[in-house]
């Protein structure tokens, strides 16, 4: 019997843990569910890991200049990421759900004229399910064909679609990008001081240069992630331009930032060109853009992403206060840690999209099968990454630096980077499962709680154990995130409340 044939009655008496390891022999099976996950996960993973990979490329080339420059860029990247993700994550998540909903409505009623119903949120539940489509439209309209359009550019169609959220996302993304760029450029020095780079630090000047120049690309980053799509062209451009600007033109840290900005704008131009062939981006009126829906639905996600990113940013700040050698080693470990861990975010996005469709149709068997499959794939991915990094990073560390002291500290950090990969993967996938179940309030409040506990641990361990203490604290932080995701299933089933209450016997 295939997963699609699973019924509610078949699952209601299964133990909690078994729900997430059921049908484990089908984990790599390319059945209907496997193909649906792959169709969404691969382009989403490319989109979400593009900027971390570009930062990793910058790290590799700048590391050849010296440990001070490497440390300076590490602090700047951590600061840039903190600010940009606060803007990016709510925008992308809201856009994903809204575009999926509007595309489904467009298929049901091709002349999408009644924008009032969308603006008033009549197609959305008012409490925890405010971001997930709830219309009783045909099942096909909710599956990956419609939802994955946020993550891949489909072939051109004869008639352009009218999707209000596409235009809204571009306008909001452009405005947020300009605000972010201005904020980081004019507040660079005090922000770096807050991160632990004081006025007498050798890291200050290169950190300021890199942060200010890279901030010029903030509008392109936000527009690119608002549109989503294929990021490979931009990454290859960054790889080619980095050595030219850094070594040939002898621009050093400035060259890395300039090449990064050029690659981001190239990505934006490619995506915009493809998107305008598919969607009518000219809004007939301001009312059509439905800005109110974006602002109303972004608050919980904003609160959550601040909590998520602040722990990592604070860890970078603690490392910077230890000195340039420690910060240089931390930068290498952190960028590898983030770039590889975010591969699991592709699975999280796939889980979110498919689960949202299943819950909207009240297809609980499909929801259970999807949750099980993405969690299994996440665990396998985490184990593979752990083995690969555990062995490979010992040899690959010299790509980033030749400094003996930095290499020694990287060796100290490798066990943490490798061993936490399965934990990270499960944490990300559990987040996607929560989002797919419309459990945004729990995701936000639990993440704030996790962040508060982790920050306390980070202060204690970094002051007593230095570099090692920071990585122990980050390991605890990701473990708490994974546990919070798992606990929601246990709590829902045990109390008969929450999105997974249907699994209660």
């Amino acid at each position: 019997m295939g997963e699609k044939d699973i019924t509610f009655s078949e699952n209601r008496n299964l133990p909690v843990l078994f729900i997430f390891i059921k049908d484990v022999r089908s984990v790599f099976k390319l059945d209907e569910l496997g193909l649906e996950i792959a169709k969404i996960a691969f382009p989403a993973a490319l989109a979400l890991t593009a900027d971390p990979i570009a930062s990793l490329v910058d790290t590799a080339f700048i590391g050849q200049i010296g440990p001070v420059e490497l440390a300076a860029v590490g602090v700047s990247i951590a600061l840039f990421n903190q600010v940009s993700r606060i803007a990016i994550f709510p925008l992308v998540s809201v856009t994903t759900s809204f575009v999926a909903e509007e595309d489904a409505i467009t298929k049901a009623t091709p002349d999408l004229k009644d924008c009032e119903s969308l603006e008033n949120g009549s197609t959305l539940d008012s409490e925890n399910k405010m971001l997930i489509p709830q219309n009783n439209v045909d099942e096909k309209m909710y599956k990956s064909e419609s939802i994955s359009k946020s993550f891949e550019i489909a072939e051109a169609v004869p008639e352009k679609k009218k999707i209000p959220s596409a235009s809204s996302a571009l306008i909001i993304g452009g405005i947020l990008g300009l605000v972010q760029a201005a904020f980081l450029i004019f507040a660079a020095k005090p922000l770096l001081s807050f991160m632990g780079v004081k006025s007498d630090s050798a890291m200050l000047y290169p950190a300021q240069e890199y942060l200010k120049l890279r901030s010029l690309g903030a509008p392109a980053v936000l527009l690119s992630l608002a549109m989503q799509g294929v990021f490979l062209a931009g990454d290859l451009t960054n790889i080619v331009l980095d050595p030219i600007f850094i070594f040939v033109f002898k621009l050093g840290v400035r060259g890395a930032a300039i090449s990064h900005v050029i690659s981001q704008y190239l990505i934006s131009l490619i995506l915009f060109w493809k998107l305008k062939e598919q969607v009518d981006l000219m809004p007939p009126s301001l009312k059509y853009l439905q800005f109110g829906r974006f602002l109303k639905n972004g608050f919980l996600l904003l609160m959550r992403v601040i909590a998520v990113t602040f722990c990592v940013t604070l860890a970078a700040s603690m490392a910077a206060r230890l000195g340039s050698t420690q910060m240089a080693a931390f930068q290498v470990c952190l960028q590898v840690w983030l770039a590889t861990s975010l591969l699991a975010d592709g699975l999280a996005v796939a889980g979110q999209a498919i689960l949202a469709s299943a819950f909207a149709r009240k297809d609980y068997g499909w929801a259970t099968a999807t949750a099980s499959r993405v969690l299994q794939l996440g665990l396998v991915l985490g184990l593979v990454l752990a083995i690969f990094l555990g062995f490979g990073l010992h040899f690959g560390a010299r790509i980033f630096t030749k400094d003996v002291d930095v290499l020694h500290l990287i060796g100290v950090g490798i066990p943490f980077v490798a061993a936490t990969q399965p934990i990270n993967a499960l944490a990300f996938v559990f987040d996607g499962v929560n989002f797919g179940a419309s459990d945004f309030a729990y995701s936000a409040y639990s993440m704030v709680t996790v962040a508060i506990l982790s920050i306390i641990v980070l202060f204690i361990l970094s002051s007593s154990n230095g570099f090692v203490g920071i990585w122990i604290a980050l390991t605890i932080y990701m473990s708490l995130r994974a546990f919070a995701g798992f606990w929601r299933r246990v709590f829902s089933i045990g109390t008969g409340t929450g999105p997974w209450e249907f699994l209660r016997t």
Side-chain angles (χ1 to χ4, degrees), residues 231-271:
F231 284 72
L232 184 57
D235 285 338
L236 290 177
T237 302
N238 194 51
I239 293 172
V240 172
L241 293 180
D242 255 349
I244 294 174
F245 280 98
I246 293 173
F247 302 115
V248 178
F249 295 159
K250 300 185 184 304
L251 291 176
V253 169
R254 288 178 297 166
I258 292 170
S259 65
H260 198 110
V261 170
I262 292 174
S263 69
Q264 289 295 342
Y265 277 101
L266 175 63
I267 291 170
S268 294
L269 288 173
I270 293 173
L271 292 178

Side-chain angles (χ1 to χ4, degrees), residues 167-215:
S167 303
S168 304
L170 292 180
I171 295 173
I172 294 173
I175 293 172
L176 287 175
L178 290 172
V179 172
Q180 178 187 333
F183 174 70
L184 289 175
I185 289 171
F186 291 108
K189 189 171 182 178
L191 288 172
L192 287 169
S193 178
F194 171 78
M195 290 291 292
V197 182
K198 303 301 181 183
S199 57
D200 58 345
S201 173
M203 293 185 283
L204 179 60
Y205 181 70
Q208 275 188 284
E209 281 195 319
Y210 184 88
L211 181 60
K212 289 181 177 180
L213 287 171
R214 180 162 173 176
S215 296

